[in-house]
Amino acid sequence: IMACSQITKEALERLRGMGVLYRCFRTRRELMALAGVAPHADDPADPQAFSVRPHPPGEEAERLARGDAFAWRISLERASAVLGGFDRLDWIEEGEVRPVRPERLGDMVLGRKDIGAGYVLASVIDDAAQGISHVIRGVDLSPVTDIQRVLQALLGLPAPVYRHHRLLLDENGKRFAKRDGAVTLRALREGGVSAGAL
């Protein structure tokens, strides 16, 4: 775990050195308000909620001096300049080649001052460090693949093959999630739902 933490820390440093990251002091609530999204909304795929730009230099310096918490966001504009555009980038979804469209999620958070790298970057680093050839995960994470492919290109890492599977949804079409206290697979099976039906 320490080795992976050090590797992700080094990756953040490399990305900062390339000039593709910027500090963002805005909270999720502030971003939602700027985008006109309800504060209770929880849709990380909503590009409007993440249409942000770097703070003006004076504001950034002031907030740094105050010790305000911040996140490191990737600047897609700068990343595109470093890579010569995203047109040549793609990723493979079970044999289907898909073009990279990172603008769907905008300038995503890659790390935070207090906790270091987040899932999007850490999983790219972990996959490469472990030699992962295939990533199988829920379809809700499919849009993140575009940003991860950009990170792989920036850091010179291999791109695995992806498979994004369907999710189990409740009667309202919302995915089952532990954080919501949703029913578990075990409870469904014990309640008589067959493996085939699941």
Side-chain angles (χ1 to χ4, degrees), residues 3-4 11 15 19 21-22 46 52 79 85-86 89 110 135 150 158 170 181:
C4 285
L15 294 169
L21 299 184
Y22 63 90
D46 179 0
V52 294
F86 300 133
L89 288 181
L110 297 186
V135 172
V150 169
D170 65 18

Side-chain angles (χ1 to χ4, degrees), residues 6-191:
Q6 185 61 32
I7 293 170
T8 55
K9 183 178 177 183
E10 290 169 3
L12 273 173
E13 291 294 336
R14 282 183 61 196
L15 294 169
R16 281 199 292 268
M18 291 178 200
V20 299
L21 299 184
Y22 63 90
R23 289 182 187 89
C24 180
F25 295 89
R26 298 175 185 94
T27 65
R28 184 178 181 88
R29 184 179 298 273
E30 289 171 327
L31 291 173
M32 296 288 190
L34 285 171
V37 177
H40 60 275
D42 188 24
D43 181 11
D46 179 0
Q48 294 303 314
F50 297 93
S51 295
V52 294
R53 290 281 175 239
H55 297 274
E59 180 185 345
E60 180 180 17
E62 180 182 311
R63 295 188 78 161
L64 273 175
R66 279 198 319 243
D68 290 355
F70 63 83
W72 288 107
R73 287 187 180 274
I74 185 167
S75 166
L76 292 180
E77 182 179 340
R78 294 179 197 157
S80 178
V82 168
L83 294 172
F86 300 133
D87 294 343
R88 292 170 293 167
L89 288 181
D90 54 44
W91 54 279
I92 298 174
E93 174 79 20
E94 286 192 299
E96 177 188 339
V97 177
R98 297 192 177 178
V100 167
R101 298 287 182 259
E103 64 279 356
R104 293 189 295 171
L105 290 179
D107 291 359
M108 284 193 75
V109 170
L110 297 186
R112 299 191 184 280
K113 174 186 174 183
D114 53 346
I115 62 168
Y119 167 79
V120 174
L121 177 59
S123 58
V124 165
I125 300 302
D126 290 349
D127 290 346
Q130 296 176 60
I132 300 297
S133 62
H134 290 72
V135 172
I136 301 171
R137 58 190 182 187
V139 70
D140 56 324
L141 291 173
S142 181
V144 173
T145 312
D146 293 309
I147 299 285
Q148 291 180 317
R149 186 66 191 95
V150 169
L151 293 172
Q152 290 158 353
L154 287 168
L155 296 169
L157 300 175
V161 172
Y162 294 90
R163 177 174 186 260
H164 293 93
H165 59 76
R166 294 179 300 158
L167 302 174
L168 291 175
L169 307 174
D170 65 18
E171 61 277 1
N172 298 314
K174 186 175 180 184
R175 69 181 176 91
F176 291 128
K178 288 184 286 189
R179 68 179 172 198
D180 298 332
V183 66
T184 64
L185 290 176
R186 176 177 289 172
L188 288 170
R189 294 284 282 128
E190 288 173 353

